[in-house]
Amino acid sequence: MNTIQKIALLFTIIGAINWGLIGLFNFNLVASLFGDSMLSAIIYMIVGVAGIINIMLLFTDLDSK
């Protein structure tokens, strides 16, 4: 796994935690930290792109070196 994939995985995990908080407690961490700003939209876009990058992990053999 290269560095870009690791960073993408980190952002995907952050996004998953945020969605978990929304589902469990109706609490949006990103919105509470950054409000309804352009920065929030950028964070959501980064998480979305990270998810797309992580789709490639489904088709990658992680055991091969």
Side-chain angles (χ1 to χ4, degrees):
M1 188 180 308
N2 64 30
T3 304
I4 292 175
Q5 287 175 320
K6 288 180 183 179
I7 292 169
L9 185 58
L10 176 68
F11 277 107
T12 304
I13 291 168
I14 291 169
I17 290 170
N18 191 52
W19 274 108
L21 289 171
I22 291 169
L24 291 171
F25 305 111
N26 199 23
F27 176 72
N28 188 336
L29 183 62
V30 173
S32 68
L33 290 176
F34 303 106
D36 191 22
S37 66
M38 186 64 181
L39 186 57
S40 289
I42 291 170
I43 291 170
Y44 291 131
M45 286 185 267
I46 290 170
V47 170
V49 170
I52 292 169
I53 290 170
N54 283 325
I55 289 173
M56 291 183 280
L57 291 176
L58 292 173
F59 306 105
T60 304
D61 184 16
L62 297 177
D63 292 330
S64 66
K65 294 183 181 182

